[in-house]
Amino acid sequence: MHFALPPRKSSHPPPYARTQRSSSLRRKRLKQGAILCVVALLLILGVPKIFSSAADRIPPGTPEVVVVTVIDPALGEQYVERIKENRQNYVSRHGYAAFFPNNTDYDVGSSPRSWSLIPALRHALTLYPHTTYFFSLSPHSIIMNPSLTLTSHIMDPQRLESLMLKDKPVVPPDSVIHTFSHLKGDNIDFVLTQDGEGLCQESFILRRGDWAKFFLDIWLDPLYRSYNFQKSEGHALEHIVQWHPTILTKLALIPQRHLNSYSVEIASRGGKEVMYQDGDFIVRAVGCEKDNNRHCDREMDPWYHRWKNELDTKT
């Protein structure tokens, strides 16, 4: 018994006919894919800017400057109150803030208490995360010209650039390491002075940022504290400034009397040229705390009264 064979398939099949349903489904998927691509691109390009702008936004009421003076409780109550009064008067004029930590607030191990200056500044950076400038000012200084703002007097980029001492030995008189001559004012994060003996770390200005935190962490490194430098954190600073280009590239030296005029004449530290003159910003009883034959309170007393008298005259 024979069965019929199935019909032979054509070698020329009919063209595929796309249905209306499958065509609309594909268009829908393409549209969804395009939307997803656009959203992903916006997220990649836009979100970092949104978060960075939010992080950089300075909250209302943030002080532009914080004056940091580390207090030694052994100085005496009247002395400390006068120093605080002087700082508070200055910051209230310009909308700044003042911070008065004790040098006993921080653990510096067996190192001299003067090292506490560095963790005190780190503390200030934490308390005021949006403040632009931190002005570290010696407790043996008086702000004599409170009308001067820190920005117009020093930190405005053009002003700072006009003050910067370029191609100058970092540690006088003949250090082979010099300040850079190509730096611009808006790239500077660390401003201080020097006298005839070296850098003056007792009073300086630090700009907020990652570099400032890095710098303070390097300066306080236990390795440097273990070296037992003769001038403690002062010699440690001179060491890292000279041998770490990442520090030197952010540093500016300015003429001493713009930030650190002296109340006494000391030949080795600059003599008469660096002594206070009328109109100077700051006066400092340099070295009074390190000389047993001198008394900081006695030396600062006439300067305090002179400052008070000038305030009373102007008011």
Side-chain angles (χ1 to χ4, degrees):
M1 187 174 193
H2 298 280
F3 295 95
L5 294 172
R8 180 178 295 177
K9 291 183 179 180
S10 172
S11 59
H12 301 285
Y16 172 73
R18 182 179 299 169
T19 65
Q20 184 176 0
R21 180 180 177 183
S22 63
S23 178
S24 62
L25 182 61
R26 183 173 181 180
R27 284 197 300 270
K28 183 178 180 181
R29 288 177 177 174
L30 287 173
K31 186 177 181 180
Q32 289 175 341
I35 294 173
L36 288 174
C37 288
V38 172
V39 171
L41 187 62
L42 290 175
L43 287 174
I44 292 172
L45 298 178
V47 169
K49 292 183 180 179
I50 293 172
F51 281 106
S52 63
S53 63
D56 294 339
R57 191 178 298 119
I58 299 178
T62 298
E64 183 184 21
V65 176
V66 171
V67 180
V68 181
T69 296
V70 181
I71 300 296
D72 182 353
L75 290 173
E77 183 176 352
Q78 183 186 62
Y79 189 96
V80 170
E81 287 304 314
R82 287 179 172 183
I83 293 301
K84 289 183 177 181
E85 179 189 3
N86 175 256
R87 309 300 191 261
Q88 293 288 9
N89 172 271
Y90 177 67
V91 301
S92 65
R93 286 170 175 255
H94 305 294
Y96 298 165
F99 179 47
F100 301 105
N102 288 337
N103 63 3
T104 55
D105 292 344
Y106 310 100
D107 183 8
V108 294
S110 59
S111 302
R113 279 289 165 195
S114 57
W115 279 96
S116 62
L117 165 68
I118 306 167
L121 281 165
R122 201 66 164 84
H123 188 184
L125 285 168
T126 302
L127 292 176
Y128 299 91
H130 300 285
T131 288
T132 304
Y133 302 113
F134 294 83
F135 181 16
S136 176
L137 185 57
S138 165
H140 308 299
S141 300
I142 291 284
I143 299 172
M144 296 297 293
N145 190 346
S147 66
L148 297 175
T149 67
L150 205 64
T151 47
S152 64
H153 182 53
I154 296 173
M155 293 308 296
D156 174 79
Q158 291 185 343
R159 170 65 170 168
L160 179 56
E161 204 164 319
S162 71
L163 295 175
M164 290 163 56
L165 303 176
K166 301 180 179 181
D167 195 27
K168 186 176 180 63
V170 172
V171 180
D174 53 6
S175 170
V176 297
I177 307 299
H178 288 209
T179 55
F180 292 121
S181 58
H182 64 279
L183 298 180
K184 301 297 182 181
D186 55 3
N187 292 327
I188 298 300
D189 288 340
F190 181 36
V191 178
L192 75 166
T193 64
Q194 63 175 193
D195 61 20
E197 295 184 2
L199 296 178
C200 301
Q201 83 284 354
E202 291 85 359
S203 297
F204 60 85
I205 303 166
L206 193 63
R207 189 200 302 266
R208 168 183 58 89
D210 291 337
W211 184 90
K213 297 174 184 177
F214 158 79
F215 163 63
L216 293 174
D217 290 346
I218 289 290
W219 193 3
L220 192 61
D221 192 296
L223 179 64
Y224 294 129
R225 284 186 282 143
S226 70
Y227 285 168
N228 292 321
F229 289 112
Q230 182 182 4
K231 293 186 179 180
S232 303
E233 76 287 352
H235 278 168
L237 177 62
E238 292 177 354
H239 174 84
I240 62 176
V241 165
Q242 292 185 93
W243 304 114
H244 292 269
T246 50
I247 305 299
L248 190 59
T249 55
K250 293 293 186 178
L251 175 145
L253 293 177
I254 63 173
Q256 187 174 339
R257 285 184 38 235
H258 280 78
L259 187 62
N260 190 30
S261 302
Y262 287 167
S263 63
V264 293
E265 180 181 351
I266 302 176
S268 64
R269 305 198 72 158
K272 291 182 178 180
E273 291 185 7
V274 299
M275 288 186 66
Y276 176 85
Q277 296 180 23
D278 286 345
D280 284 355
F281 186 26
I282 306 287
V283 65
R284 173 173 158 231
V286 56
C288 68
E289 74 280 13
K290 299 176 182 178
D291 188 340
N292 292 330
N293 295 318
R294 297 172 59 188
H295 302 276
C296 294
D297 54 346
R298 296 178 189 174
E299 291 188 26
M300 294 295 290
D301 186 72
W303 295 103
Y304 169 79
H305 287 291
R306 179 172 172 177
W307 165 71
K308 285 285 289 183
N309 291 336
E310 290 181 0
L311 282 184
D312 294 340
T313 301
K314 291 178 181 179
T315 56

